[in-house]
Coordinates of all heavy atoms in Angstrom, one line a residue:
Chain B
L97 N -18.2 0.9 -7.1 CA -18.3 1.1 -8.6 C -18.2 2.5 -9.0 O -17.6 2.9 -10.0 CB -19.6 0.5 -9.1 CG -19.7 -0.9 -9.6 CD1 -21.1 -1.3 -10.1 CD2 -18.7 -1.2 -10.7
S98 N -18.9 3.4 -8.2 CA -19.1 4.8 -8.7 C -18.3 5.8 -7.8 O -18.1 6.9 -8.3 CB -20.6 5.1 -8.6 OG -21.0 4.9 -7.3
G99 N -18.1 5.5 -6.6 CA -17.5 6.5 -5.6 C -18.6 7.4 -5.1 O -18.3 8.4 -4.4
Y100 N -19.9 7.1 -5.4 CA -21.0 7.9 -4.9 C -21.8 7.1 -3.8 O -22.1 5.9 -4.0 CB -22.0 8.2 -6.0 CG -21.6 9.4 -6.8 CD1 -21.7 9.4 -8.2 CD2 -21.3 10.6 -6.2 CE1 -21.4 10.5 -9.0 CE2 -21.0 11.7 -7.0 CZ -21.1 11.7 -8.4 OH -20.8 12.8 -9.1
C101 N -22.1 7.8 -2.7 CA -23.1 7.3 -1.8 C -24.2 8.3 -1.9 O -24.1 9.4 -2.6 CB -22.6 7.0 -0.4 SG -21.7 8.4 0.3
P102 N -25.4 8.1 -1.3 CA -26.5 9.0 -1.6 C -26.3 10.5 -1.3 O -26.6 11.3 -2.1 CB -27.6 8.4 -0.6 CG -27.3 7.0 -0.5 CD -25.8 6.9 -0.5
G103 N -25.7 10.8 -0.1 CA -25.5 12.3 0.2 C -24.7 13.0 -0.8 O -25.2 14.0 -1.4
P104 N -23.4 12.6 -1.1 CA -22.6 13.3 -2.1 C -23.2 13.4 -3.5 O -23.1 14.4 -4.2 CB -21.3 12.5 -2.1 CG -21.3 11.9 -0.7 CD -22.7 11.6 -0.4
A105 N -23.9 12.3 -3.9 CA -24.6 12.4 -5.2 C -25.6 13.5 -5.3 O -25.7 14.2 -6.2 CB -25.2 11.0 -5.5
L106 N -26.4 13.6 -4.2 CA -27.5 14.6 -4.2 C -26.9 16.0 -4.1 O -27.3 16.9 -4.7 CB -28.4 14.4 -3.0 CG -29.3 13.1 -3.1 CD1 -29.9 12.7 -1.8 CD2 -30.5 13.4 -4.1
A107 N -25.7 16.1 -3.3 CA -25.1 17.4 -3.2 C -24.3 17.8 -4.4 O -23.7 18.9 -4.5 CB -24.2 17.4 -2.0
S108 N -24.3 16.9 -5.4 CA -23.6 17.2 -6.7 C -24.5 17.5 -7.8 O -24.2 17.9 -8.9 CB -22.7 16.0 -7.1 OG -21.8 15.7 -6.1
L109 N -25.8 17.2 -7.6 CA -26.9 17.3 -8.6 C -26.9 18.7 -9.3 O -26.9 18.7 -10.5 CB -28.3 17.1 -8.0 CG -28.8 15.7 -8.1 CD1 -30.3 15.7 -7.6 CD2 -28.8 15.1 -9.5
A110 N -26.9 19.7 -8.5 CA -27.1 21.1 -9.1 C -25.9 21.6 -9.9 O -26.1 22.5 -10.7 CB -27.4 22.1 -7.9
I111 N -24.7 21.0 -9.7 CA -23.6 21.6 -10.4 C -22.8 20.6 -11.2 O -21.9 20.9 -11.9 CB -22.6 22.3 -9.4 CG1 -22.5 21.4 -8.1 CG2 -23.1 23.7 -9.0 CD1 -21.3 20.7 -8.0
G112 N -23.1 19.3 -11.0 CA -22.2 18.2 -11.5 C -22.5 17.7 -12.9 O -21.8 16.8 -13.4
G113 N -23.4 18.3 -13.6 CA -23.7 17.8 -15.0 C -24.5 16.5 -15.0 O -25.2 16.2 -14.0
S114 N -24.3 15.7 -16.0 CA -25.2 14.6 -16.2 C -24.8 13.4 -15.4 O -25.7 12.6 -15.0 CB -25.2 14.2 -17.7 OG -23.8 13.8 -18.1
K115 N -23.6 13.2 -15.0 CA -23.2 12.0 -14.3 C -23.9 11.8 -12.9 O -24.4 10.7 -12.7 CB -21.7 11.9 -14.2 CG -21.1 11.5 -15.6 CD -19.7 11.0 -15.5 CE -19.3 10.4 -16.8 NZ -17.9 9.9 -16.8
P116 N -23.8 12.8 -12.0 CA -24.6 12.6 -10.8 C -26.1 12.4 -11.0 O -26.7 11.6 -10.3 CB -24.3 13.9 -10.0 CG -23.3 14.6 -10.7 CD -23.1 14.1 -12.1
L117 N -26.6 13.1 -12.1 CA -28.0 12.9 -12.4 C -28.4 11.5 -12.7 O -29.3 10.9 -12.3 CB -28.4 13.9 -13.5 CG -29.9 13.9 -13.9 CD1 -30.7 14.4 -12.7 CD2 -30.1 14.8 -15.1
I118 N -27.5 10.9 -13.6 CA -27.7 9.5 -14.0 C -27.7 8.6 -12.8 O -28.6 7.8 -12.6 CB -26.6 9.1 -15.0 CG1 -26.8 9.8 -16.3 CG2 -26.7 7.5 -15.2 CD1 -25.6 9.6 -17.3

Side-chain angles (χ1 to χ4, degrees):
Chain B
L97 267 180
S98 59
Y100 274 134
C101 50
L106 290 161
S108 305
L109 264 187
I111 41 104
S114 62
K115 287 197 164 178
L117 183 65
I118 293 171

